[in-house]
Amino acid sequence: MTTATTPPHVTTDVVCLGESMVTFLPARPGRLADVHSWDRGIGGAESNVACALAAIGHPARWLSRVGTDGFGDHLLETIAAHGVDVSHVQRDPRRPTGIYFRTAGERATGAEAEADGQQLAEVVYYRAGSAASALTPELLDERALWDARVVHVTGITAALSDGCLDVLKTITERRPGRPLVSFDLNYRVGLWQDRAAQAPGLLLGLARGCDLVFVGEDEAAAAWDVHGPAAVREALPEPGVLVVKQGAEGATVYERQPDGSDTVTFAPALRVEVAAPVGAGDAFAAGFLSATLRGLPVFDRIRHGHLMAAASLTVPGDLGVPPARALADHLVALTPEEWGTLRLGPGWTETGAEEVRVEVPS
């Protein structure tokens, strides 16, 4: 079983590296063109994971760069308020903090079909030339980066600039004694418009250098024209653990054994009253990583991922209130039949274990 060990002198569980931005969400439903007022939040795949892990008791550090502007102040203050160590975040006086505007709905991966009935979000980024996009390997704080049981990154960072791509190549290069390196593909077709032809190969190369990889089934289809969990594993045989997320169906995990074979574990997702889908993938990664750090079996890791995703899905922003560990452990231990009775809606993480066990009509 692949777990995150603790090397000597390590002071944090997880280091998450990547850009976070100030997010502006419409104060009412509608097209961006029709909205006149906005609610401010934060958004960033890696900082989302760090915040979720800190909220459930794991020491977590976020590494990035922000401007010396008020938006940079807001990011640092908000992420720190979640219990994340932001002391190593660099401030850039010449470049701004990135911002973006979005509506509700799912972000496009490029593989959507109208027949899916999927509501796609309008997302407009103002991140070109941002402080985070100027990150290079030379600017990495090596000591702060590797001082962890797990280093978590995503494919978003690789899309921001050549320097950021080089940072990802540095982190995912296999080397003796490194901590467990976790990679979430997070393929966003809009971020790769200038390098659309190179993106599939670049992302595949980065993923192959990691120990734990998260890939959405839809992302694999869009990026690599690979369909189904078994085909994703065939394309990515190197990682010790491969998590293929299958949306509302569940997730399949391939874990490499000492003899070179794989164990294959599937766990169905939960029934959830979705408020907004944004941030659910990051929350799933946080839940799975938390259970990995605790040395739990693969099946339990997947269920913890589903529970954390449900906490995110039932709130309008990127970050939901995670369930307390006792509640999460109780729900993870349910039988398949009991798990299938759960229907989770807004506020479920603040209820008792019995209150969330609601029968779902067949």
Side-chain angles (χ1 to χ4, degrees):
M1 182 170 67
T2 301
T3 58
T5 58
T6 306
H9 313 301
V10 164
T11 61
T12 195
D13 276 355
V14 182
V15 166
C16 301
L17 179 144
E19 181 173 33
S20 190
M21 295 172 289
V22 174
T23 311
F24 291 92
L25 310 174
R28 63 175 179 81
R31 302 181 309 149
L32 293 182
D34 300 328
V35 176
H36 298 283
S37 60
W38 309 82
D39 295 323
R40 186 180 67 172
I42 65 169
E46 301 84 4
S47 59
N48 286 347
V49 172
C51 288
L53 285 166
I56 53 178
H58 293 282
R61 177 180 301 136
W62 175 55
L63 296 183
S64 190
R65 306 182 81 248
V66 299
T68 54
D69 47 33
F71 289 145
D73 294 341
H74 174 64
L75 281 176
L76 291 175
E77 292 166 5
T78 303
I79 294 171
H82 282 83
V84 177
D85 174 13
V86 299
S87 62
H88 297 276
V89 174
Q90 301 169 8
R91 307 297 299 264
D92 189 329
R94 296 180 298 165
R95 297 177 179 85
T97 304
I99 64 172
Y100 76 100
F101 297 77
R102 71 166 173 85
T103 59
E106 183 58 273
R107 294 185 179 94
T109 64
E112 293 78 9
E114 291 184 8
D116 292 341
Q118 193 175 33
Q119 179 189 5
L120 298 183
E122 287 183 84
V123 183
V124 180
Y125 294 105
Y126 296 92
R127 71 198 309 178
S130 69
S133 70
L135 184 62
T136 64
E138 293 74 28
L139 291 175
L140 278 178
D141 185 336
E142 295 275 349
R143 191 169 180 180
L145 172 65
W146 299 116
D147 176 28
R149 297 171 65 190
V150 175
V151 173
H152 179 73
V153 292
T154 81
I156 293 173
T157 302
L160 301 183
S161 67
D162 289 341
C164 286
L165 175 60
D166 289 340
V167 167
L168 265 285
K169 288 180 178 178
T170 298
I171 291 172
T172 59
E173 179 184 356
R174 294 190 180 273
R175 68 190 72 186
R178 75 175 187 182
L180 186 147
V181 175
S182 166
F183 178 78
D184 192 335
L185 180 63
N186 254 323
Y187 179 60
R188 301 285 178 258
V189 64
L191 295 178
W192 289 97
Q193 289 180 350
D194 294 337
R195 291 183 290 178
Q198 292 79 31
L202 290 172
L203 290 168
L204 192 63
L206 294 172
R208 285 174 169 166
C210 299
D211 306 298
L212 166 59
V213 174
F214 299 92
V215 179
E217 200 170 25
D218 58 339
E219 295 176 306
W224 304 317
D225 194 23
V226 170
H227 304 271
V232 177
R233 184 50 159 172
E234 186 176 351
L236 275 173
E238 294 87 357
V241 177
L242 174 66
V243 182
V244 182
K245 298 175 290 182
Q246 298 165 265
E249 182 180 346
T252 299
V253 174
Y254 295 82
E255 184 174 48
R256 185 62 38 79
Q257 301 304 304
D259 64 1
S261 65
D262 275 334
T263 58
V264 184
T265 306
F266 173 80
L270 292 152
R271 300 191 183 215
V272 178
E273 297 174 24
V274 178
V278 178
D282 305 327
F284 180 94
F288 193 93
L289 285 170
S290 172
T292 299
L293 287 161
R294 295 172 62 194
L296 300 183
V298 171
F299 185 78
D300 292 1
R301 299 183 198 184
I302 304 173
R303 279 193 167 185
H304 274 285
H306 288 324
L307 287 167
M308 289 290 281
S312 175
L313 287 166
T314 49
V315 299
D318 281 25
L319 295 169
V321 176
R325 182 170 291 186
L327 173 58
D329 285 346
H330 172 80
L331 296 177
V332 163
L334 295 178
T335 67
E337 292 75 19
E338 291 170 327
W339 182 265
T341 69
L342 296 176
R343 186 177 182 87
L344 306 180
W348 74 269
T349 60
E350 300 172 17
T351 64
E354 295 302 316
E355 294 177 80
V356 298
R357 293 178 61 179
V358 180
E359 187 72 29
V360 180
S362 57

